[in-house]
Amino acid sequence: MEMDELQSRLAVILDLEEQERPDWGEIERLSSELQRELPIDATPEAVHHYLDDADIRARDEPYATRQKKDVRRFIESGEFDDGTPIPWWGCALVLLLGAGLVKWLVG
């Protein structure tokens, strides 16, 4: 699926959700339909979460606000944030601390 088609279909879902009385059944239907068509490894994780979580957004406004902000940014700019990457040195530090703890406990 092309990026512009994905953004367009997400915009339709977001528009439905932002109506005064969202039709959550239709939002769920469109979300499921779109998600079935998306390659899981070539689509931002934030998009998959958005498509999966309509039921959660319906009852959790702060969560809905965050997700809608992320998907709106993707629709408007193609940019997304799939989390904070952990630098290699951070992983090395955790391993060293773990090894030190094991040595201290054993020794």
Side-chain angles (χ1 to χ4, degrees), residues 23-36:
D23 180 350
W24 289 106
E26 180 68 0
I27 292 165
E28 292 257 2
R29 186 187 70 74
L30 291 172
S31 296
S32 294
E33 182 180 287
L34 178 54
Q35 191 158 36
R36 281 191 303 272

Side-chain angles (χ1 to χ4, degrees), residues 53-106:
D53 294 349
D55 58 327
I56 300 170
R57 288 191 311 278
R59 61 181 190 272
D60 186 344
E61 187 59 36
Y63 184 74
T65 300
R66 282 192 310 276
Q67 276 201 331
K68 289 189 290 188
K69 183 184 92 172
D70 289 345
V71 83
R72 188 176 295 110
R73 181 175 58 198
F74 177 73
I75 291 167
E76 293 171 357
S77 69
E79 295 176 4
F80 56 91
D81 181 13
D82 274 346
T84 305
I86 300 173
W88 68 267
W89 55 266
C91 295
L93 181 60
V94 169
L95 288 174
L96 285 172
L97 288 172
L101 178 63
V102 167
K103 185 176 179 177
W104 178 73
L105 289 172
V106 173

